[in-house]
Amino acid sequence: MRPSLLDPLFAPITSLAGVGPKVATLIERVLPADLGDRDARAGDLLFVLPHSVIDRRNRPGIAGAAEGAIVTLEVRIDRHQPPPRGNRSVPYRVYAHDDTGEIALTFFHAHAAYLEKAMPEGEHVLVSGRMEWFNGRPSMVHPDHIVLASEADTLPPVEPVYPMTAGLSAKVLRRAIGQALERVPPLPEWLDTAFLRRNTFPTFGDALGRLHNPENPTDTMPENSAWRRLAYDEFLASQLSLALVRARVRRLAGRPLVGDDRIVARLRAALPYSLTGSQETALAEILADLTEPDRMLRLLQGDVGSGKTVVALLAMGRAVEAGGQAALMAPTEILARQHFATIAPLAEHAGLRIAILTGREKGRERSETLARLADGTIDIVIGTHALFQEAVTFKRLVFAVVDEQHRFGVHQRLAITAKGDAPDMLVMTATPIPRTLVLTAFGDMDVSKLTEKPAGRQPIRTVTLPLERLDELIRRMKDAVADGQKIYWICPLVEESEEVKLMSAEDRFASLKPVFGQRMGLVHGRMKGAEKDEAMRAFKDGETSVLIATTVIEVGVDVPDATIIVIEHAERFGLAQLHQLRGRVGRGSKPSSCVLLYKDPLGETAKRRLSVLRETEDGFLIAEEDLKLRGEGELLGTRQSGTPGFQVARIEFHADLLETARDDARLILSRDPDLQSERGQALRLLLYLFGKDDAVRLLRAG
């Protein structure tokens, strides 16, 4: 049970004064928490941190106030001048003065009664807002704050500025955050005293207070000790929950998977090439893990086209030798079918029985597959998350491979765990993840890396081209198609959008149709599975030569004879994504090219991004650069996807705290695995505060 101490923070956000259902919906848009399917709570507001401040301590007097500056003035109110009756287009003006000059305070669509009460004639009043000068006359339109001089202490000297969304006023959000802060109870300290002193960290409550009620502009900087304190708390909560999941997963004792090498040898013999050095190393690490009685949890990182699938297949062969079943789970149907197409011929050559199971298999075919999984006549099954739905039972699932890890969180790992007899897990990702992020997302995993490209892979020539030269590019593409080459053309959107002026896949398809006619195909995320597969098949079989697509083809799509990829509006994509997309070509024996089409003028970050891509094909180097350029929030997908997009911590500022948090979490759990001690009980509160309720449930489930 959650300690009752925290109940006020876990009450719905609508329990705060002034927050009805409509305002709650707006506030949810600015919350950094991944709400999933729950409603927002009061405590979620604590971590909506200011991104900057307005310094209201600047009091230069009317004559000394610069155009556009935010100033606070103490003035005496002279007179009110309402607009003429019936003419709402004329503003309401209030004239006032100080020792240095006069000013007009201007209000559009004003409520006269409110203004007369807030600024009685003859009274001294503090107004704070942006200065404007018209024809040498000073004015302030809609001051941000108006307070009587006798109540000057209610004006915040330094005011935090929060992320906003259309329709939500800063005042309403600030008031809601203020109420949430008042609900923070006195909490026991969960950090080690010596560590607190060494880092000059304030308490949890003081850190929140300092960020939301800053006295100095520096109080709200990520480098400040208040923000660092909260970042460390968040890292610690995340590392503790990863370690608890790992302990739970490990506690479900694995079993040694020992084989006689007959299947693995047959699979090797079926391969048309020999493994690279790093494939051999990774395979040796995995097979060594499998012989241990503990469960394996290993991350296999390899750049696009480095041959992860083959390593996974050989490991699955070992699991079958040991008398079990293996499953490979992919994030999309396209990918699952592609893995099936790659693996099936090799598996059959080695005498393995293999099947596919996605949402599309229906009726008799589906029931047959399910029956064969349950009675053990299928050795290897490939599919989407449909594999882990209730209806699917395995006879003896001992090994699970999950492709493209960042789409699968801790929950999914536990769901897979529930399916088998505590299966060993191999997680594959083609997104090269910098070391710091490996710690945040996969602090609970061992890591193998594939660092070479398989033999025969060609380097990819990368060029940048402004959109003004589009006609020239289309002429060159026409020649390439006439020469028998295949081209991917990637667009950022499915259809044209009002807000963003970008070329959509459907528009580009329409504009190129007169040039390439029937030689063109189209693939995007809104199409039905069968349509997508058909378009991919036609492209693969050479019925079409130009495939217009959105980023659905980013992961794992394999057409070895595609030699050119054009990425339109390349400035809109992140580095890791551009690198992923580029990896769709250069898979065969012919030299390949990647054309990055961009729209001028380019910002600094976009320039740097495109030049990094021109300079290197090393995915790990690209991932480190991406982290520097963008911060971790977007690196593993959007903020909302519940990946290591932290609420408070920012990798670019707080990476140094991460390793400490991981070591701290391990040490705590080695001494107090069930968090029963005094500090353990305090740490349970920390887990709740950062939404790690699942980890606390694991403690109870034991």
Side-chain angles (χ1 to χ4, degrees):
M1 293 293 290
R2 185 175 60 238
S4 54
L5 179 70
L6 296 179
D7 287 348
L9 293 173
F10 278 74
I13 201 166
T14 46
S15 66
L16 301 169
V19 181
K22 195 173 162 201
V23 172
T25 310
L26 292 171
I27 288 180
E28 281 181 3
R29 291 187 195 154
V30 299
L31 293 178
D34 173 29
L35 296 178
D37 46 14
R38 71 171 173 84
D39 290 330
R41 304 166 179 150
D44 293 325
L45 280 162
L46 299 175
F47 303 126
V48 178
L49 297 186
H51 56 71
S52 56
V53 295
I54 296 172
D55 193 339
R56 301 217 178 264
R57 297 172 303 179
N58 179 19
R59 300 189 173 198
I62 294 172
E67 163 75 37
I70 288 180
V71 299
T72 300
L73 304 171
E74 182 172 339
V75 295
R76 184 170 183 273
I77 303 299
D78 296 327
R79 63 191 172 91
H80 285 239
Q81 183 184 308
R85 281 196 101 115
N87 189 347
R88 299 279 288 167
S89 61
V90 176
Y92 187 118
R93 289 196 170 88
V94 178
Y95 292 95
H97 73 275
D98 68 6
D99 297 343
T100 70
E102 287 190 314
I103 188 166
L105 306 171
T106 307
F107 302 88
F108 292 92
H109 308 298
H111 293 288
Y114 162 74
L115 292 176
E116 282 160 11
K117 190 177 166 206
M119 297 181 283
E121 290 184 4
E123 279 287 347
H124 281 265
V125 172
L126 282 171
V127 290
S128 189
R130 192 175 297 281
M131 270 312 268
E132 296 182 20
W133 288 77
F134 289 111
N135 303 329
R137 305 179 77 150
S139 145
M140 190 181 281
V141 180
H142 288 282
D144 304 328
H145 293 275
I146 302 170
V147 297
L148 294 172
S150 55
E151 297 163 13
D153 55 347
T154 61
L155 181 75
V158 175
E159 189 175 8
V161 181
Y162 293 100
M164 292 310 291
T165 183
L168 178 64
S169 90
K171 273 195 178 122
V172 168
L173 178 62
R174 258 204 312 278
R175 208 164 42 236
I177 291 172
Q179 292 179 67
L181 274 177
E182 284 163 17
R183 293 187 178 196
V184 178
L187 293 163
E189 183 53 75
W190 46 75
L191 296 186
D192 174 69
T193 322
F195 176 73
L196 269 176
R197 262 205 313 274
R198 205 165 51 246
N199 286 281
T200 61
F201 281 168
T203 65
F204 177 77
D206 286 350
L208 284 169
R210 200 184 295 173
L211 281 160
H212 290 295
N213 301 310
E215 289 177 8
N216 276 301
T218 54
D219 286 346
T220 56
M221 294 169 97
E223 301 92 322
N224 188 290
S225 64
W227 198 316
R228 282 176 67 81
R229 155 79 210 225
L230 296 179
Y232 187 77
D233 285 336
E234 185 167 27
F235 282 152
L236 185 58
S238 121
Q239 292 299 316
L240 267 175
S241 68
L242 282 169
L244 284 164
V245 168
R246 178 173 200 143
R248 172 72 197 281
V249 164
R250 283 269 157 100
R251 208 175 300 156
L252 298 161
R255 75 240 115 246
L257 295 181
V258 184
D260 52 13
D261 222 30
R262 62 198 159 85
I263 293 177
V264 175
R266 266 188 254 150
L267 285 168
R268 279 179 180 270
L271 291 175
Y273 47 79
S274 52
L275 298 186
T276 64
S278 57
Q279 280 176 313
E280 289 288 6
T281 308
L283 182 63
E285 288 169 345
I286 294 164
L287 297 182
D289 276 0
L290 295 181
T291 59
E292 298 290 326
D294 285 342
R295 274 191 79 191
M296 171 172 87
L297 259 183
R298 187 170 278 278
L299 178 67
L300 178 62
Q301 274 192 278
D303 218 338
V304 174
S306 56
K308 295 179 294 297
T309 314
V310 168
V311 173
L313 173 61
L314 292 165
M316 291 194 281
R318 170 56 48 88
V320 177
E321 284 174 4
Q325 292 167 297
L328 188 154
M329 172 157 124
T332 64
E333 204 163 313
I334 285 190
L335 250 182
R337 296 197 173 277
Q338 188 169 299
H339 278 311
F340 185 71
T342 311
I343 287 174
L346 297 167
E348 281 155 12
H349 190 278
L352 293 169
R353 295 160 302 183
I354 180 168
I356 184 161
L357 188 66
T358 67
R360 200 184 322 157
E361 274 65 46
K362 300 260 190 308
R364 208 171 103 205
E365 183 188 6
R366 187 179 190 86
S367 3
E368 273 176 19
T369 303
L370 291 174
R372 290 172 59 218
L373 276 174
D375 69 15
T377 48
I378 289 177
D379 299 314
I380 294 177
V381 62
I382 292 172
T384 53
H385 49 270
L387 287 178
F388 297 100
Q389 285 161 352
E390 298 308 310
V392 184
T393 48
F394 292 84
K395 183 173 185 194
R396 190 176 178 231
L397 177 66
V398 295
F399 186 50
V401 181
V402 178
D403 190 12
E404 276 306 309
Q405 161 66 23
H406 62 262
R407 324 252 166 130
F408 295 100
V410 167
H411 310 288
Q412 288 90 333
R413 282 189 231 169
L414 291 172
I416 295 173
T417 302
K419 275 293 168 198
D421 175 18
D424 287 298
M425 273 181 85
L426 178 69
V427 170
M428 306 195 294
T429 173
T431 312
I433 306 169
R435 171 163 171 68
T436 35
L437 278 187
V438 169
L439 285 180
T440 59
F442 321 110
D444 56 339
M445 292 192 171
D446 303 307
V447 181
S448 296
K449 274 187 182 181
L450 298 181
T451 49
E452 306 155 74
K453 285 207 169 175
R457 281 286 164 95
Q458 296 297 316
I460 302 167
R461 185 169 145 261
T462 304
V463 294
T464 48
L465 202 67
L467 270 166
E468 287 83 54
R469 292 173 60 188
L470 184 67
D471 295 347
E472 180 187 331
L473 175 68
I474 293 172
R475 279 198 302 278
R476 301 223 305 256
M477 297 299 127
K478 219 171 148 182
D479 296 344
V481 168
D483 188 33
Q485 297 192 53
K486 284 187 191 171
I487 301 168
Y488 288 109
W489 191 300
I490 309 300
C491 298
L493 304 172
V494 175
E495 52 198 44
E496 196 183 352
S497 99
E498 284 303 309
E499 296 90 65
V500 201
K501 287 281 169 258
L502 298 179
M503 180 54 75
S504 74
E506 289 174 345
D507 291 347
R508 182 51 76 210
F509 182 79
S511 78
L512 292 178
K513 191 88 176 144
V515 184
F516 296 106
Q518 297 307 308
R519 306 289 303 156
M520 276 171 64
L522 176 67
V523 160
H524 58 67
R526 297 216 187 131
M527 290 162 69
K528 294 199 169 68
E531 294 176 321
K532 274 192 253 186
D533 284 358
E534 175 48 33
M536 286 308 304
R537 183 206 58 74
F539 186 57
K540 208 167 180 161
D541 295 351
E543 289 165 26
T544 56
S545 308
V546 180
L547 185 66
I548 307 289
T550 55
T551 55
V552 285
I553 68 129
E554 170 186 344
V555 183
V557 175
D558 195 15
V559 181
D561 55 351
T563 51
I564 299 172
I565 185 163
V566 176
I567 304 173
E568 194 159 350
H569 284 290
E571 77 279 1
R572 301 296 296 234
F573 294 96
L575 251 178
Q577 197 177 25
L578 287 169
H579 177 62
Q580 283 269 15
L581 287 166
R582 172 169 67 179
R584 300 296 111 227
V585 296
R587 291 171 159 251
S589 50
K590 287 193 181 140
S592 293
S593 317
C594 167
V595 181
L596 303 173
L597 261 183
Y598 64 88
K599 186 170 174 24
D600 266 334
L602 279 182
E604 274 314 301
T605 309
K607 259 192 202 132
R608 176 81 196 114
R609 216 178 269 163
L610 298 185
S611 70
V612 167
L613 219 64
R614 267 208 317 265
E615 290 154 18
T616 179
E617 276 191 63
D618 178 339
F620 290 99
L621 194 73
I622 285 171
E624 293 290 351
E625 278 296 322
D626 207 15
L627 185 60
K628 283 183 209 152
L629 289 173
R630 295 204 291 172
E632 92 295 345
E634 301 170 34
L635 194 57
L636 297 182
T638 59
R639 262 287 196 216
Q640 285 72 34
S641 61
T643 51
F646 287 102
Q647 299 186 65
V648 175
R650 303 278 180 272
I651 290 285
E652 58 272 42
F653 294 109
H654 307 131
D656 60 310
L657 298 171
L658 190 54
E659 302 241 11
T660 318
R662 184 172 76 150
D663 296 344
D664 200 2
R666 288 185 169 177
L667 184 64
I668 289 162
L669 290 179
S670 68
R671 291 177 179 167
D672 181 12
D674 297 322
L675 297 185
Q676 291 297 355
S677 66
E678 197 178 324
R679 184 182 180 195
Q681 295 292 339
L683 284 160
R684 285 169 175 244
L685 295 173
L686 169 72
L687 289 168
Y688 278 119
L689 283 166
F690 281 100
K692 307 291 181 191
D693 318 29
D694 297 350
V696 188
R697 278 201 288 280
L698 283 181
L699 280 168
R700 291 206 302 277

